[in-house]
Amino acid sequence: MKQSDTVIFTDMDGTLLDHYTYSFAAAVPTLDKLKTQGTPVIPNTSKTFLEMVELREKIGLKGPFIIENGAAAFIPHGFFEQKPAGTTWQDGFWCKSFISSKGYWLKLLELVKADFAAEFTHFSEMSVQEIMDATGLSEEDAQLAAKRQYGEPVLWLGTEDRKQAFLQAVKERGATPLEGGRFIHISGECTKGKALRWFMEEYRRQTATDVTSVALGDGKNDIAMMEAADIAVRIASPTHQPPALNKKDNVYTSTLLGPEGWTEMLTQLLSLKD
């Protein structure tokens, strides 16, 4: 592994990927420069394992990735000198799981369903076409998105007031709901921030380098990741205001949207000049 003094964690939808088109074209020159420098770019996303295996191939990212809002981290063999602490070998990667599997959370949703009849649906109940309609994904990508291992995305159909009641109901039964750009993610007490901290501890332990973490995101489910990082970058969105952070130091906000903003901020912060 080529050691770097910076590790970049990035949300995908609305950050590295355009909110509407899912294009990452605007970020390619910056990704190429980071690759040349040996700076790891680690997706930290609500997406599934299968989505990320395919997407990182498409983008050209060969390193670790974190899925389903911090549910698990996957690290390729050889990225670290030693086996990462607390991991098991799974699907060709070292895997560190942080919460229970999806079946547990589906049972929880069944328990609250009677109180919120017709006010929500979720991935396991939606057809591929319905997932396509709700997300704008292609059929192939929607099939991958449906294959979640740890949590369950809920599409809220009711009012804002009732949504707050729903969030309270699932919290009382032990879930930690996270509102993303489109869905409420129902899972356990995992966050993108907790996964980032675990990874950075492991990185520092194995490399003995004084390394800086940078996190880029655009949604509420990115707050924990940005607050856990040394440097937080809020990417401007066409659909909502930048998320509010408690962290005050080393917080930056892009003026451009999505991957354009991603490139804008990393170019400024890391002096990635031609």
mmCIF file of all heavy atoms in Angstrom, residues 46 69 163 177-185 218-222 240:
data_model
loop_
_atom_site.group_PDB
_atom_site.id
_atom_site.type_symbol
_atom_site.label_atom_id
_atom_site.label_comp_id
_atom_site.label_asym_id
_atom_site.label_seq_id
_atom_site.Cartn_x
_atom_site.Cartn_y
_atom_site.Cartn_z
ATOM 1 N N SER A 46 -24.842 5.169 1.122
ATOM 2 C CA SER A 46 -26.021 4.378 1.482
ATOM 3 C C SER A 46 -26.200 3.196 0.531
ATOM 4 O O SER A 46 -27.053 2.345 0.738
ATOM 5 C CB SER A 46 -27.281 5.254 1.449
ATOM 6 O OG SER A 46 -27.488 5.764 0.149
ATOM 7 N N ASN A 69 -24.799 3.259 4.718
ATOM 8 C CA ASN A 69 -24.709 4.265 5.792
ATOM 9 C C ASN A 69 -23.872 3.806 6.987
ATOM 10 O O ASN A 69 -24.246 4.044 8.140
ATOM 11 C CB ASN A 69 -26.119 4.664 6.263
ATOM 12 C CG ASN A 69 -26.854 5.470 5.218
ATOM 13 O OD1 ASN A 69 -26.312 6.440 4.676
ATOM 14 N ND2 ASN A 69 -28.072 5.078 4.903
ATOM 15 N N LYS A 163 -44.642 11.578 9.505
ATOM 16 C CA LYS A 163 -43.276 11.048 9.354
ATOM 17 C C LYS A 163 -42.524 11.133 10.679
ATOM 18 O O LYS A 163 -41.820 10.201 11.062
ATOM 19 C CB LYS A 163 -42.512 11.810 8.270
ATOM 20 C CG LYS A 163 -41.090 11.270 8.083
ATOM 21 C CD LYS A 163 -40.410 11.820 6.838
ATOM 22 C CE LYS A 163 -39.819 13.169 7.081
ATOM 23 N NZ LYS A 163 -38.962 13.620 5.966
ATOM 24 N N PRO A 177 -33.098 5.515 12.630
ATOM 25 C CA PRO A 177 -33.431 5.930 11.269
ATOM 26 C C PRO A 177 -32.564 7.085 10.790
ATOM 27 O O PRO A 177 -32.197 7.961 11.580
ATOM 28 C CB PRO A 177 -34.897 6.364 11.382
ATOM 29 C CG PRO A 177 -35.075 6.755 12.815
ATOM 30 C CD PRO A 177 -34.130 5.905 13.609
ATOM 31 N N LEU A 178 -32.231 7.070 9.525
ATOM 32 C CA LEU A 178 -31.416 8.116 8.915
ATOM 33 C C LEU A 178 -32.130 8.624 7.671
ATOM 34 O O LEU A 178 -32.473 7.839 6.789
ATOM 35 C CB LEU A 178 -30.062 7.542 8.488
ATOM 36 C CG LEU A 178 -28.848 7.736 9.374
ATOM 37 C CD1 LEU A 178 -27.660 7.074 8.716
ATOM 38 C CD2 LEU A 178 -28.566 9.199 9.635
ATOM 39 N N GLU A 179 -32.319 9.915 7.598
ATOM 40 C CA GLU A 179 -32.955 10.486 6.416
ATOM 41 C C GLU A 179 -31.900 10.837 5.372
ATOM 42 O O GLU A 179 -31.020 11.648 5.618
ATOM 43 C CB GLU A 179 -33.744 11.739 6.797
ATOM 44 C CG GLU A 179 -34.974 11.437 7.630
ATOM 45 C CD GLU A 179 -35.808 12.685 7.867
ATOM 46 O OE1 GLU A 179 -36.404 13.181 6.904
ATOM 47 O OE2 GLU A 179 -35.835 13.149 9.019
ATOM 48 N N GLY A 180 -31.993 10.187 4.217
ATOM 49 C CA GLY A 180 -31.092 10.482 3.114
ATOM 50 C C GLY A 180 -31.752 11.457 2.156
ATOM 51 O O GLY A 180 -32.734 12.125 2.490
ATOM 52 N N GLY A 181 -31.220 11.539 0.959
ATOM 53 C CA GLY A 181 -31.771 12.464 -0.023
ATOM 54 C C GLY A 181 -33.179 12.089 -0.456
ATOM 55 O O GLY A 181 -34.025 12.952 -0.671
ATOM 56 N N ARG A 182 -33.454 10.774 -0.561
ATOM 57 C CA ARG A 182 -34.766 10.313 -1.042
ATOM 58 C C ARG A 182 -35.482 9.403 -0.049
ATOM 59 O O ARG A 182 -36.698 9.327 -0.046
ATOM 60 C CB ARG A 182 -34.591 9.525 -2.354
ATOM 61 C CG ARG A 182 -34.171 10.360 -3.550
ATOM 62 C CD ARG A 182 -34.014 9.461 -4.776
ATOM 63 N NE ARG A 182 -33.790 10.226 -5.987
ATOM 64 C CZ ARG A 182 -32.598 10.651 -6.401
ATOM 65 N NH1 ARG A 182 -31.522 10.393 -5.683
ATOM 66 N NH2 ARG A 182 -32.482 11.336 -7.526
ATOM 67 N N PHE A 183 -34.731 8.678 0.752
ATOM 68 C CA PHE A 183 -35.319 7.626 1.586
ATOM 69 C C PHE A 183 -34.956 7.801 3.058
ATOM 70 O O PHE A 183 -33.973 8.458 3.398
ATOM 71 C CB PHE A 183 -34.824 6.246 1.126
ATOM 72 C CG PHE A 183 -35.293 5.872 -0.250
ATOM 73 C CD1 PHE A 183 -34.537 6.174 -1.371
ATOM 74 C CD2 PHE A 183 -36.516 5.241 -0.430
ATOM 75 C CE1 PHE A 183 -34.970 5.849 -2.643
ATOM 76 C CE2 PHE A 183 -36.968 4.916 -1.701
ATOM 77 C CZ PHE A 183 -36.190 5.216 -2.808
ATOM 78 N N ILE A 184 -35.773 7.152 3.906
ATOM 79 C CA ILE A 184 -35.420 6.998 5.317
ATOM 80 C C ILE A 184 -34.787 5.618 5.453
ATOM 81 O O ILE A 184 -35.420 4.606 5.135
ATOM 82 C CB ILE A 184 -36.661 7.082 6.227
ATOM 83 C CG1 ILE A 184 -37.420 8.394 6.012
ATOM 84 C CG2 ILE A 184 -36.255 6.928 7.687
ATOM 85 C CD1 ILE A 184 -38.810 8.395 6.651
ATOM 86 N N HIS A 185 -33.554 5.553 5.894
ATOM 87 C CA HIS A 185 -32.853 4.277 6.018
ATOM 88 C C HIS A 185 -33.043 3.747 7.437
ATOM 89 O O HIS A 185 -32.704 4.415 8.410
ATOM 90 C CB HIS A 185 -31.371 4.445 5.700
ATOM 91 C CG HIS A 185 -31.130 4.862 4.282
ATOM 92 N ND1 HIS A 185 -30.982 3.963 3.256
ATOM 93 C CD2 HIS A 185 -31.059 6.083 3.719
ATOM 94 C CE1 HIS A 185 -30.815 4.608 2.121
ATOM 95 N NE2 HIS A 185 -30.856 5.906 2.374
ATOM 96 N N ASP A 218 -23.573 15.625 0.957
ATOM 97 C CA ASP A 218 -24.595 16.641 0.682
ATOM 98 C C ASP A 218 -25.868 16.473 1.495
ATOM 99 O O ASP A 218 -26.736 17.345 1.458
ATOM 100 C CB ASP A 218 -24.966 16.615 -0.811
ATOM 101 C CG ASP A 218 -25.831 15.409 -1.154
ATOM 102 O OD1 ASP A 218 -25.418 14.278 -0.852
ATOM 103 O OD2 ASP A 218 -26.921 15.586 -1.719
ATOM 104 N N GLY A 219 -26.012 15.358 2.248
ATOM 105 C CA GLY A 219 -27.290 15.071 2.907
ATOM 106 C C GLY A 219 -27.174 14.898 4.407
ATOM 107 O O GLY A 219 -26.086 14.863 4.980
ATOM 108 N N LYS A 220 -28.343 14.748 5.048
ATOM 109 C CA LYS A 220 -28.373 14.574 6.504
ATOM 110 C C LYS A 220 -27.630 13.318 6.933
ATOM 111 O O LYS A 220 -27.031 13.275 8.009
ATOM 112 C CB LYS A 220 -29.828 14.498 6.993
ATOM 113 C CG LYS A 220 -30.566 15.818 6.951
ATOM 114 C CD LYS A 220 -31.983 15.632 7.495
ATOM 115 C CE LYS A 220 -32.780 16.926 7.423
ATOM 116 N NZ LYS A 220 -34.178 16.726 7.869
ATOM 117 N N ASN A 221 -27.702 12.274 6.101
ATOM 118 C CA ASN A 221 -27.023 11.030 6.488
ATOM 119 C C ASN A 221 -25.501 11.135 6.331
ATOM 120 O O ASN A 221 -24.779 10.191 6.628
ATOM 121 C CB ASN A 221 -27.575 9.830 5.715
ATOM 122 C CG ASN A 221 -27.392 9.946 4.209
ATOM 123 O OD1 ASN A 221 -27.270 11.042 3.669
ATOM 124 N ND2 ASN A 221 -27.380 8.821 3.536
ATOM 125 N N ASP A 222 -25.006 12.290 5.871
ATOM 126 C CA ASP A 222 -23.557 12.525 5.783
ATOM 127 C C ASP A 222 -23.025 13.330 6.966
ATOM 128 O O ASP A 222 -21.810 13.527 7.095
ATOM 129 C CB ASP A 222 -23.217 13.278 4.490
ATOM 130 C CG ASP A 222 -23.594 12.499 3.248
ATOM 131 O OD1 ASP A 222 -23.314 11.288 3.216
ATOM 132 O OD2 ASP A 222 -24.171 13.088 2.313
ATOM 133 N N HIS A 240 -31.847 20.682 -1.823
ATOM 134 C CA HIS A 240 -31.938 21.029 -0.399
ATOM 135 C C HIS A 240 -30.723 21.849 0.044
ATOM 136 O O HIS A 240 -29.700 21.869 -0.627
ATOM 137 C CB HIS A 240 -32.070 19.761 0.466
ATOM 138 C CG HIS A 240 -30.991 18.748 0.227
ATOM 139 N ND1 HIS A 240 -31.155 17.683 -0.626
ATOM 140 C CD2 HIS A 240 -29.729 18.633 0.709
ATOM 141 C CE1 HIS A 240 -30.046 16.962 -0.664
ATOM 142 N NE2 HIS A 240 -29.167 17.524 0.137
#
